[in-house]
Structure formats: C-alpha cells, structure tokens
Amino acid sequence: LKGFLFSDEQIAEHRMKTDALLARKQETVEHLAAEAHSVRQEMDKVYRLYQADQITPDGFGARYRPLEERLKALENELPEAQAALDVLRIHHLSEDTTLSDVRDLHSRWNTLPHADKRDIVEAITKRITVSREGVVIDLRYDPERLAAPSGAEGDSAIHSNGYAVPVKDGNKGTYQSA
C-alpha cells in the first residue's frame, strides 16, 4: 500500500489522466453551452422570419419545434455535464489533501500505539484473503480513483472490490500480483 500511495510516477500519471478528463469535461460543457446559444439564435431567426411573414404558421411550426426540442434537451444535459465537471474538480482538489493526510499518517505510523494501528487497518480493510497464489487485500474504498484503469499494465491489479497488492511468492522468491 505504501508503494501504491507514494509512487511519484503513479501520482503524476493519475494527475495527468485527471487533468485530461477535466479538460474533456470542460470541453463538453463549453460545447453544450455553445450549441444551446446557436440553437437559440436559430430559433430567433425563425421567429423573425415568421414575424416578417416570410414563412407560414405551418412552416414556422415545422422549423421551430425541432429547435425547441433540441434546446430543451440541451438545457437538461448542460446542468448534468456541469455538475459532473464540478464533482470532478472538487474530487481533484481533495486528492491533494487526502494524499497529504496519508503521508502524514505514514510518517507517524511507527509512533502510533498498536491499538490505533489496528483500528486504522480495520477501518480501511474489507477483507484479506491468503492463498497459495498470494495475498489479496480488499479495501473499503475505491482505489480506482487513485490508480490506472483496470486492465492497465503494472505490478498490481485492480479488482472491482479492492486492490490486489503485490506479494512475495514463497516458492519462487519473486513478486507477483495476487
């Protein structure tokens, strides 16, 4: 877990991925807002044509209704996209605090009483499975937000319910993901 949390390369890679995701989400919000603005302008043009008797009431309805429906869809989609962006931004900002807190805890680990250490381990651990193939530690939180997506290459594997730590294979003396 220490290596997982303190790898500068993993932290930098995660931050780059998060920054890229933030940029894509921001781009989506901007695109939706621009499209909504464009649809409103088109609606205004159609209305002006109707007011100037350039199109019939039937022609107005045929041209205006699809624009009105698209605008409603955009007005529903835009707040959802903005909320997703805001949640990601808040999460991204809180990661620094969380990482700082974890590093602080790690630096004080050897000075903590055994009972406190046990409480912390129990609080973050859902289950530990020991087998001939290795040890799997299922954590109570979603480590995927701190690690590469599942299926990515690396020394450890991400499971849907936890983090499989690299363990020493007693038979071969090598490390492998469990």
Side-chain angles (χ1 to χ4, degrees):
L1 188 57
K2 175 186 168 188
F4 175 71
L5 290 173
F6 292 95
S7 166
D8 290 337
E9 294 82 22
Q10 284 180 318
I11 292 169
E13 181 181 336
H14 172 71
R15 286 188 174 152
M16 284 178 35
K17 287 179 181 180
T18 302
D19 290 343
L21 181 58
L22 276 167
R24 285 193 308 270
K25 295 272 188 191
Q26 180 66 42
E27 187 177 295
T28 298
V29 167
E30 290 171 359
H31 173 76
L32 290 171
E35 187 176 351
H37 179 72
S38 176
V39 169
R40 282 187 196 96
Q41 286 181 325
E42 189 66 26
M43 290 171 75
D44 289 344
K45 286 179 188 177
V46 171
Y47 182 71
R48 282 194 300 276
L49 288 172
Y50 175 71
Q51 288 294 324
D53 289 328
Q54 298 295 313
I55 56 174
T56 65
D58 289 338
F60 172 78
R63 292 176 191 261
Y64 196 83
R65 269 189 218 100
L67 294 170
E68 189 175 38
E69 289 171 8
R70 180 62 186 145
L71 182 60
K72 284 180 185 178
L74 288 167
E75 287 175 343
N76 289 333
E77 198 174 339
L78 186 58
E80 291 174 13
Q82 183 66 52
L85 174 62
D86 292 343
V87 166
L88 187 58
R89 281 183 180 150
I90 291 167
H91 175 75
H92 187 54
L93 292 172
S94 70
E95 284 177 346
D96 289 337
T97 302
T98 302
L99 184 59
S100 174
D101 291 347
V102 169
R103 285 183 171 166
D104 178 57
L105 175 63
H106 178 264
S107 70
R108 295 182 299 115
W109 187 258
N110 291 331
T111 64
L112 292 174
H114 180 73
D116 289 352
K117 289 178 185 180
R118 182 180 179 96
D119 289 345
I120 292 168
V121 170
E122 286 177 357
I124 66 170
T125 306
K126 183 176 181 179
R127 177 178 54 234
I128 298 174
T129 307
V130 179
S131 68
R132 289 185 177 192
E133 291 79 32
V135 176
V136 175
I137 301 174
D138 293 326
L139 302 176
R140 291 191 187 277
Y141 68 96
D142 181 11
E144 217 167 341
R145 66 184 179 86
L146 297 173
S150 62
E153 293 183 24
D155 294 332
S156 58
I158 300 295
H159 296 280
S160 62
N161 61 344
Y163 178 70
V165 296
V167 295
K168 186 166 178 133
D169 181 336
N171 297 328
K172 299 178 184 168
T174 59
Y175 286 85
Q176 61 175 301
S177 295

